[in-house]
Amino acid sequence: MTFAANISRLVFSTGVSHDLENLVRLYGWTASAVLLSLTSLALHFYRRQHRTTVHSPTSSVAVKSHSTISAIITPQPGDVRVSKILIHPIKSCRGISVPMAKYTPEGLENDRIWSIMDATKLKILTAREVPKMVLITPSIERDGALKVDFPESSGCEPFSVSLLPTEEMFQSWTLLPEIEMWPTHAPMDGYICESLTGPRGTASATLSKYFGKPVHLVRKGRKPRRIDPTVTFPELDATAKYQDMYPLLVLSEESTVAVDTELRKHVGSQGIAENWSVDNVPIERFRPNIVFRGGGPFAEDNWEEISIGSERSPSITLVSKCTRCLLPNVSPETGERDSAVPFKVLMKFRTGIDPTHKLKPCVGCNGVPSRSGSVSVGDWVYVKKMITGQMKSS
């Protein structure tokens, strides 16, 4: 019987340990060499049997296996699909799950087009400083309005602003030419939004009541906002709106399974409360735009260029890993910040991934589309280029 045939039998047999010993003795191979071949062949059979169906891992064993495989194998068409699309119209406020979205090189349509800024300091506010921002709920209405709702306990009345302001509206709004997001970067512009109904200043007054200090809702102005090049792409020439930096954030759905698996190991230590023995970390905490299923946890770590929907769709270059702060510690359900989860958990197994920020944990990858396109839930993901010179596997 050939070596391949023996391995095939091994894949589907129940006496794995016994057969492994026989193969090592028969062919003189080391156990590690046989296991490596076994892994590759197992993946081959898995792809043949599951070509049209995408499965989520249901155990930590599946997660670990997928993580190892994803570091060396290029996914084939049909292996990975889009499972969720999230837009966040107002930076740091609640996201919206949508079945499809258009995108440009600056990101998804209606994603981070608006921000809330400190009216005194002329500085953009985020849930890093004001966790309860995540409880502000934007919604896109059929009449072309962005509606902004608040928790009932806040006593704040909802208001609406135009999704696509007319030139006349822009002329009547106040343009602020220098709004700060990062003190290390050039300021950006923004228009102070006026509500579609009520007296002038209604939007600012309502938000100021919620924040307890003077703030404005601003819409990104027309001045392009240049974003930083990366180590891998030093010649990167791209722009964005009010994203922290890059136009898109992509993340594999199975990644949160891996986070939960790691989390369970540390319950009761380092401030990780007992409720995390059963509670899960929802993917919304990481505020991705495009969520994948089928590649395994953190599969995108190993991808450099993808297209979504078809091979002819616009390329999306994954220009860097997304380094993480404490924002994912804020619960999108309660608006409260956990003292440990998931940041302390991520520090245990997701550092050393970004070569320029080795001490920072990374989850997800930053993407830059080459041109305009669209993405829908269920679309296939085509991995056009893998990263050469692999970073450490998850």
Side-chain angles (χ1 to χ4, degrees):
M1 185 177 291
T2 66
F3 179 78
N6 273 306
I7 286 291
S8 298
R9 183 169 61 86
L10 173 60
V11 171
F12 296 105
S13 70
T14 55
V16 173
S17 298
H18 177 72
D19 279 353
L20 180 57
E21 292 173 359
N22 287 340
L23 288 173
V24 170
R25 182 170 60 252
L26 179 61
Y27 295 99
W29 282 41
T30 65
S32 60
V34 174
L35 285 172
L36 180 61
S37 298
L38 170 61
T39 299
S40 299
L41 195 64
L43 179 63
H44 170 73
F45 278 99
Y46 177 87
R47 293 197 191 287
R48 286 183 57 185
Q49 294 183 355
H50 301 273
R51 178 66 64 198
T52 59
T53 305
V54 179
H55 298 276
S56 296
T58 56
S59 68
S60 59
V61 173
V63 168
K64 189 173 292 184
S65 173
H66 271 82
S67 179
T68 303
I69 292 170
S70 67
I72 57 174
I73 301 296
T74 303
Q76 299 302 303
D79 287 351
V80 183
R81 294 179 184 263
V82 174
S83 62
K84 183 175 286 190
I85 302 168
L86 294 165
I87 61 172
H88 308 81
I90 305 175
K91 185 177 181 67
S92 274
C93 296
R94 182 161 286 164
I96 304 171
S97 179
V98 296
M100 68 85 61
K102 297 178 181 178
Y103 60 82
T104 73
E106 290 192 320
L108 295 186
E109 183 178 37
N110 296 319
D111 184 67
R112 279 111 168 171
I113 306 298
W114 295 266
S115 279
I116 298 169
M117 57 163 282
D118 187 306
T120 303
K121 298 179 180 179
L122 299 184
K123 182 178 179 180
I124 288 173
L125 296 170
T126 73
R128 285 180 280 265
E129 304 86 36
V130 189
K132 69 176 184 177
M133 285 183 70
V134 300
L135 302 181
I136 298 174
T137 305
S139 58
I140 296 174
E141 306 295 296
R142 291 185 177 182
D143 61 0
L146 177 74
K147 185 181 179 184
V148 183
D149 282 291
F150 301 87
E152 186 176 348
S153 60
S154 70
C156 295
E157 295 295 324
F159 64 85
S160 297
V161 298
S162 177
L163 271 177
L164 296 172
T166 64
E167 188 60 36
E168 183 179 2
M169 288 179 179
F170 279 128
Q171 291 295 328
S172 68
W173 293 358
T174 301
L175 175 63
L176 301 175
E178 295 193 348
I179 303 170
E180 179 186 301
M181 180 182 292
W182 304 111
T184 53
H185 289 71
M188 62 195 77
D189 61 355
Y191 288 93
I192 298 177
C193 297
E194 297 293 343
S195 61
L196 290 171
T197 60
R200 188 176 179 86
T202 295
S204 295
T206 304
L207 285 166
S208 296
K209 177 181 178 181
Y210 186 79
F211 280 75
K213 63 180 179 180
V215 300
H216 296 304
L217 176 67
V218 291
R219 180 189 172 93
K220 180 67 180 72
R222 298 167 179 174
K223 182 180 179 181
R225 176 199 167 202
R226 298 288 168 187
I227 58 177
D228 290 348
T230 65
V231 171
T232 310
F233 297 90
E235 304 301 320
L236 180 65
D237 181 17
T239 59
K241 298 294 187 181
Y242 285 137
Q243 301 94 333
D244 272 0
M245 184 59 66
Y246 300 96
L248 291 176
L249 178 63
V250 303
L251 177 61
S252 291
E253 185 178 292
E254 298 95 336
S255 302
T256 55
V257 179
V259 173
D260 288 336
T261 299
E262 183 69 23
L263 169 58
R264 304 288 186 251
K265 304 174 186 176
H266 307 288
V267 172
S269 66
Q270 292 189 295
I272 299 175
E274 289 297 328
N275 64 284
W276 290 112
S277 62
V278 293
D279 290 350
N280 297 320
V281 178
I283 203 164
E284 287 78 9
R285 284 193 180 227
F286 298 104
R287 304 181 74 81
N289 292 122
I290 304 174
V291 180
F292 304 133
R293 179 189 298 158
F298 311 110
E300 65 280 359
D301 282 353
N302 305 308
W303 304 344
E304 183 171 304
E305 184 182 329
I306 64 174
S307 61
I308 300 175
S310 79
E311 291 185 283
R312 296 182 298 278
S313 296
S315 294
I316 299 173
T317 303
L318 304 186
V319 298
S320 67
K321 307 299 178 282
C322 183
T323 56
R324 290 297 175 169
C325 59
L326 291 174
L327 182 55
N329 283 36
V330 178
S331 167
E333 289 82 22
T334 67
E336 298 176 352
R337 182 188 291 119
D338 191 282
S339 62
V341 177
F343 187 80
K344 287 185 179 179
V345 179
L346 299 177
M347 286 293 293
K348 296 179 182 299
F349 80 122
R350 289 297 296 171
T351 57
I353 294 168
D354 185 319
T356 59
H357 300 93
K358 292 186 177 181
L359 298 181
K360 292 185 178 181
C362 296
V363 175
C365 289
N366 298 307
V368 179
S370 60
R371 53 188 173 87
S372 297
S374 65
V375 56
S376 297
V377 171
D379 279 350
W380 288 4
V381 177
Y382 295 81
V383 179
K384 294 183 172 181
K385 187 175 182 181
M386 298 282 282
I387 291 175
T388 56
Q390 293 294 327
M391 77 267 337
K392 76 172 188 179
S393 60
S394 305

